[in-house]
Structure formats: structure tokens, C-alpha cells
Amino acid sequence: MKKISFFCLGLLVFTGCQNESKKTVNDTITVKKDTATVIKPAVENTPITETKGILTQKECTEKQVEYETEMECIFKNSSIDEVYRRTIKDKEVEKVELLLANLPKENTTKEINQDGLISITYTVGPKKTDIEFFFEGGVTTLSLEQQNKDVKRTIIHSAD
């Protein structure tokens, strides 16, 4: 009888801990239907990163519109290839490890069909490259655009 009581008490404590952790996660999620623009403080907006010994300044803003989140960053004095490699190295996008090591020179589609990722499509232009991750539950778009000496990187997470 003592064993059954001890087992039930342990099970009750265990499930109580699980429910509490789920509640904490749900409390931090906020859903807004209107357009909201979030601008981080200047200290966070201008981190300085090092790429091949060259200091690069990065300014970022984040927007959320219904089922879409957009993060836009400007990399000062950079090239599209540098920002592409930096994005892979910093793992800025989910499943980024499945990207090609170097940007292709022409439009390409890489079939994945693994862990919910269907394919990755590269659309290459002279000054802009779009990379789309087609997931079963939505699309993530990584856009790299050369703007004079700077590169604008936009990451858009869109739900189905």
C-alpha cells in the first residue's frame, strides 16, 4: 500500500511540474492582429561582428504582421557572399546547415524532404538573391540585396 501511495504522490508531483512549465511557455506568447513594429535599442541595433578580420556593422529591425515575422538587417561595407556565409555561421535561419556552402551563380532548387523541410530554392539575380525554405507548415524567405557598399538581409517567416 505504501508503494502505491508513494508512486501516486511521485506521479502527481511530476505532472504538476510539467503543467507549470507549459503554463510558463504559454504566458510568454503574445499574438497581435495589428501591425506591430519593434525597434530594438541602439546598443542592440549596431553590433559589430568580425568577418575575415574586417569589422562589420549590422543594424536590425523586426516587424510582426499577423502570421508573418520579418527581420531586416543592414550590413555595412559587405558583399552578398560575406553576409550569406555569416548567416550560415551564425545559424540565423532554421535548417541553415542544409544550405549550399557557397551561393550558386544561377537559379537552383535543392530537394530535401527531411524533418519537415521539403526543398530550398535559390533565385539569383545580379544584385539580389532570394532563398526560400519550403516547410510543411510554411515558408521562410532569406533575401540578400546589395545596396551600394551595404547588404540588406531580410528574413521572413510565413505560416501556412
Side-chain angles (χ1 to χ4, degrees):
M1 187 69 168
K2 286 182 183 180
K3 290 180 182 180
I4 294 173
S5 298
F6 182 74
F7 177 76
C8 290
L9 182 62
L11 187 60
L12 180 65
V13 170
F14 179 72
T15 58
C17 290
Q18 280 188 332
N19 287 340
E20 188 62 36
S21 66
K22 287 180 184 176
K23 183 178 180 184
T24 304
V25 171
N26 289 339
D27 287 344
T28 60
I29 297 173
T30 57
V31 178
K32 294 185 178 181
K33 291 190 177 187
D34 297 329
T35 303
T37 302
V38 177
I39 299 177
K40 296 181 180 178
V43 174
E44 288 183 17
N45 278 349
T46 57
I48 297 176
T49 56
E50 190 172 337
T51 306
K52 291 186 180 178
I54 301 170
L55 292 177
T56 306
Q57 191 172 12
K58 173 173 98 170
E59 298 175 4
C60 296
T61 58
E62 188 172 344
K63 300 175 191 172
Q64 185 169 359
V65 182
E66 291 192 19
Y67 299 107
E68 190 172 278
T69 303
E70 179 178 314
M71 165 110 31
E72 185 177 284
C73 296
I74 304 293
F75 292 82
K76 304 288 185 183
N77 299 318
S78 296
S79 71
I80 288 179
D81 288 326
E82 290 172 346
V83 174
Y84 177 76
R85 285 191 298 273
R86 190 73 192 184
T87 302
I88 293 172
K89 182 180 177 192
D90 293 345
K91 298 184 178 183
E92 298 275 349
V93 181
E94 185 181 357
K95 304 289 185 191
V96 74
E97 65 276 3
L98 297 173
L99 287 173
L100 299 173
N102 295 310
L103 269 175
K105 301 297 181 202
E106 57 188 35
N107 296 346
T108 307
T109 298
K110 181 179 175 184
E111 296 295 327
I112 306 291
N113 295 318
Q114 172 185 334
D115 296 328
L117 180 60
I118 299 166
S119 65
I120 301 173
T121 300
Y122 296 82
T123 306
V124 181
K127 298 254 185 205
K128 185 175 182 179
T129 299
D130 289 325
I131 303 164
E132 293 180 307
F133 295 79
F134 293 96
F135 291 95
E136 291 175 355
V139 177
T140 298
T141 304
L142 170 62
S143 179
L144 303 168
E145 183 177 359
Q146 189 75 48
Q147 297 179 333
N148 298 323
K149 293 182 178 181
D150 303 334
V151 174
K152 179 173 90 171
R153 180 188 72 192
T154 307
I155 300 172
I156 303 171
H157 300 282
S158 304
D160 252 356

